[in-house]
Amino acid sequence: MRAILIALTTFAYVVVLLPILIVVVTAFSSSEFFAFPPKGFSLRWFDAFFASEPLRGAFIRSLQIATISSILATGLGTMASIAIARRKGTLFNLIQGMFLAPLIFPAIVLGLSLLIFYKSIGGVPDFLGLVIAHSVLGLPFVVRSVTSSLLAVDPALEEAGQSLKASPIDVFIFIITPLIWPGMLAGGIFAFILSLGELNTALFLTGPGVTTLPIEIFSYLQFQGGQLVIAAASAIQVFMIIAIVLIAERLIGLKRIVRSD
Amino acid sequence: MGSGFSMNRQTAFWALLGPPLLFVGIFFIVPLLNLFWVSLHGASSNELFGSDLTGENYYRILTDSFYHTIIVRTLWAGMSIMLLCLVIGYATAYVIAPLPPRTRLIMLLLLVAPLMVSNVIRAYGWIAILGRQGVVNSMLRSTGLIDGPLLLLNSFEAVAFGLMTILLPYMVVSIVNALNAIDRQYIEAAQSLKANPVRTFIYVIWPLSSPGVASGILLVFLLTLSAYVTITLLGGPRMKLLVSLVFDSVSGFRWPLAAALSFALLALALMVAGLILALLRPGRVQGRG
């Protein structure tokens, strides 16, 4: 019995990690075409990636969209959490459910509904449209992690501030914020990572000349095959995520990274 | 009542809740209602949708056997992936859960970090492994076991296997959390009553871990429904699921049909979610204190 469990566990780790590992390793290949193990080591495909205007453009745009949308999601999500974290009742459960819904809501439906909505109101620039979509998707991560931080704050601290005649704004800036910033940071980092790899709304909302890196990789794979420059593009994304995880581990700890999946 | 210049609690509350509520209202709820409105119309050649109200899109989805085939295949794919994830994920969680906290965190991180990598990259990894020129085929060819390449992609099985590997971490994390929340005393009590490991599992561990199982398989099924990119890359042009039809209708500018198919997808999601919650009843464990 124990042997079967260990075998299944090993299988799980292999099938989850192997595809990513293969892509990263082939990105350093020196050959013209895919071969595994790679024939030699080179950085030529990374050069090719940065030399390609569409790929580099998509990469920079992805970073911009992830930055703006995660900041927006962190701001709005924190405000929402502070307003409703300790409130009880059907109405507040409903409101909180609405903020958390995009977490499990089929993202493809959100993408299509936003596309048709943008068209209905006379068009929205592609970049702005993507920022909005990714903010909606990032919001629940922030609401979840900030709410759990807020529930851990002793309400007596807030009351102490109020009894000393601090205004709600002062209470927020000097008492609440220092206590919940790890929650805000964790939520913001997840919103950023989500935006960086997001496909389901970006499929509908990217336009000619305004694509994100994952969509660019997808169209390469679909129409031009798995060229090695795409392996380099993927490897860059993987390295960025490793870097973010390492930084996040320092700032907010492993436990938060693993729990707010 | 307003107290002059100082901001009272009520104003502060609405100043905080107002902007996020408006944002989600305008960019989540309103577009969804608008989508439903669009789905109730016929197609139009120059507008987003025709002028007359009609249920023909839904009628077509409910009666056309083409849509039935796709819906059944979608359900079948979702169930296969859920079941695979459940068996492999439960075994993995069962091995990871009792590890010392630091080791457990690192083992979980190894599964959670891949979730942060875009699905298109993880699907690409499987193309690199299973494709015509992929790792498996070139290894088999170099050993002389096969002459021509095996076709391992572009099939239902490729999609189910690929999506299973992409979604498996959600399952493991959900079940590990549930297993760790179980009070050890329950298990010790069962053992002291001479229950063998199988009985302990069936009557104690499995019921107490059911909230984790429920949230895991729910997440896996819901994410399967949306996984257009993985389905397209691993399934090829002919292996279509419901989400592919949504996308095809959009490519053909048939907006009302795409909208109606989206709601068919949502209905499927709700029905399966309801079924999972009814069967596993995760709520009954919540009062465990």
Side-chain angles (χ1 to χ4, degrees):
Chain A
M1 194 61 209
R2 188 81 197 151
I4 298 172
L5 288 176
I6 300 281
L8 283 173
T9 305
T10 314
F11 179 75
Y13 278 88
V14 169
V15 296
V16 169
L17 292 169
L18 190 68
I20 299 171
L21 212 65
I22 298 257
V23 170
V24 171
V25 171
T26 47
F28 291 96
S29 164
S30 62
S31 60
E32 194 68 33
F33 299 104
F34 178 84
F36 198 88
K39 300 268 183 290
F41 174 88
S42 89
L43 294 176
R44 61 181 285 201
W45 296 111
F46 291 92
D47 287 339
F49 171 80
F50 285 108
S52 154
E53 215 290 307
L55 285 175
R56 194 184 60 226
F59 175 59
I60 292 169
R61 195 170 305 107
S62 279
L63 286 178
Q64 290 168 334
I65 291 170
T67 307
I68 302 172
S69 64
S70 61
I71 291 172
L72 198 62
T74 308
L76 291 171
T78 305
M79 289 164 79
S81 310
I82 292 171
I84 57 171
R86 287 185 195 283
R87 305 255 171 175
K88 289 190 173 64
T90 320
L91 179 66
F92 292 107
N93 285 343
L94 210 68
I95 292 175
Q96 193 173 34
M98 194 170 89
F99 286 125
L100 294 178
L103 215 53
I104 50 165
F105 193 80
I108 209 98
V109 180
L110 177 67
L112 178 64
S113 71
L114 277 174
L115 174 66
I116 293 181
F117 178 67
Y118 293 159
K119 282 183 183 293
S120 304
I121 59 170
V124 168
D126 290 339
F127 186 89
L128 180 64
L130 283 161
V131 166
I132 291 171
H134 286 186
S135 304
V136 173
L137 288 172
L139 203 58
F141 290 93
V142 179
V143 169
R144 200 167 62 171
S145 73
V146 173
T147 300
S148 76
S149 289
L150 278 167
L151 293 178
V153 172
D154 188 346
L157 289 172
E158 209 177 321
E159 284 155 19
Q162 279 159 358
S163 70
L164 292 169
K165 303 265 179 282
S167 73
I169 294 174
D170 286 339
V171 170
F172 175 62
I173 295 175
F174 296 110
I175 301 175
I176 300 178
T177 310
L179 293 167
I180 62 167
W181 76 266
M184 292 169 66
L185 200 63
I189 289 172
F190 277 100
F192 182 86
I193 289 173
L194 176 104
S195 166
L196 217 53
E198 207 277 333
L199 290 159
N200 293 333
T201 65
L203 270 173
F204 291 110
L205 301 175
T206 49
V210 189
T211 57
T212 61
L213 192 57
I215 295 298
E216 197 70 17
I217 294 175
F218 176 53
S219 51
Y220 257 85
L221 287 171
Q222 209 179 3
F223 301 116
Q224 305 175 44
Q227 295 170 9
L228 289 179
V229 67
I230 288 306
S234 308
I236 288 172
Q237 231 228 340
V238 173
F239 293 141
M240 277 183 57
I241 283 159
I242 294 174
I244 295 169
V245 168
L246 290 176
I247 295 169
E249 197 261 331
R250 278 293 153 90
L251 293 175
I252 56 177
L254 259 188
K255 209 166 180 174
R256 257 182 194 282
I257 303 174
V258 170
R259 274 193 53 213
S260 4
D261 46 294
Chain B
M1 292 294 119
S3 55
F5 292 104
S6 75
M7 227 161 101
N8 64 31
R9 284 189 70 86
Q10 197 66 16
T11 341
F13 172 74
W14 284 109
L16 280 170
L17 187 58
L21 206 57
L22 269 178
F23 186 79
V24 174
I26 295 174
F27 296 114
F28 181 51
I29 306 297
V30 170
L32 209 59
L33 296 174
N34 182 53
L35 189 72
F36 187 61
W37 178 243
V38 171
S39 77
L40 295 175
H41 291 78
S44 160
S45 49
N46 46 7
E47 300 282 323
L48 272 175
F49 52 90
S51 50
D52 49 328
L53 271 175
T54 166
E56 65 172 298
N57 297 310
Y58 291 102
Y59 182 76
R60 222 170 114 187
I61 296 169
L62 287 173
T63 52
D64 193 327
S65 66
F66 169 68
Y67 291 110
H68 289 176
T69 314
I70 301 284
I71 289 172
V72 168
R73 188 191 289 162
T74 304
L75 279 173
W76 188 234
M79 268 166 44
S80 326
I81 296 166
M82 276 193 307
L83 206 67
L84 281 170
C85 280
L86 178 60
V87 172
I88 302 169
Y90 207 112
T92 308
Y94 200 81
V95 171
I96 293 178
L99 295 173
R102 182 81 193 166
T103 321
R104 187 174 69 221
L105 275 180
I106 290 169
M107 292 297 280
L108 280 175
L109 183 68
L110 282 175
L111 289 178
V112 170
L115 286 181
M116 302 173 185
V117 175
S118 184
N119 285 357
V120 71
I121 296 174
R122 302 175 69 196
Y124 175 33
W126 283 117
I127 295 175
I129 294 169
L130 300 175
R132 276 167 173 277
Q133 271 91 42
V135 180
V136 171
N137 270 319
S138 53
M139 265 166 49
L140 287 177
R141 228 173 332 179
S142 64
T143 52
L145 279 171
I146 53 167
D147 299 324
L150 295 175
L151 298 176
L152 300 168
L153 290 177
N154 295 359
S155 63
F156 180 89
E157 290 77 12
V159 171
F161 176 77
L163 269 176
M164 181 274 284
T165 69
I166 286 174
L167 300 174
L168 186 59
Y170 290 109
M171 193 67 135
V172 179
V173 172
S174 301
I175 299 178
V176 166
N177 286 339
L179 287 176
N180 280 325
I182 296 177
D183 193 333
R184 294 294 308 171
Q185 288 181 343
Y186 290 133
I187 296 165
E188 282 155 20
Q191 282 159 352
S192 72
L193 292 169
K194 302 262 182 284
N196 63 31
V198 175
R199 288 178 70 88
T200 309
F201 180 80
I202 294 174
Y203 292 106
V204 181
I205 299 174
W206 170 261
L208 287 173
S209 64
S210 64
V213 171
S215 71
I217 56 176
L218 200 60
L219 210 51
V220 166
F221 184 79
L222 293 174
L223 292 171
T224 299
L225 283 180
S226 266
Y228 174 75
V229 166
T230 318
I231 293 163
T232 308
L233 288 178
L234 300 180
R238 280 199 301 275
M239 225 307 284
K240 286 188 190 303
L241 298 186
L242 196 49
V243 64
S244 330
L245 299 190
V246 175
F247 205 75
D248 290 353
S249 307
V250 169
S251 308
F253 302 106
R254 283 168 298 173
W255 304 105
L257 181 62
L261 284 166
S262 300
F263 280 97
L265 192 95
L266 279 181
L268 213 60
L270 279 176
M271 284 188 304
V272 173
L275 196 68
I276 291 171
L277 295 179
L279 285 178
L280 285 164
R281 290 183 293 137
R284 72 199 152 143
V285 186
Q286 269 162 13
R288 63 179 180 252

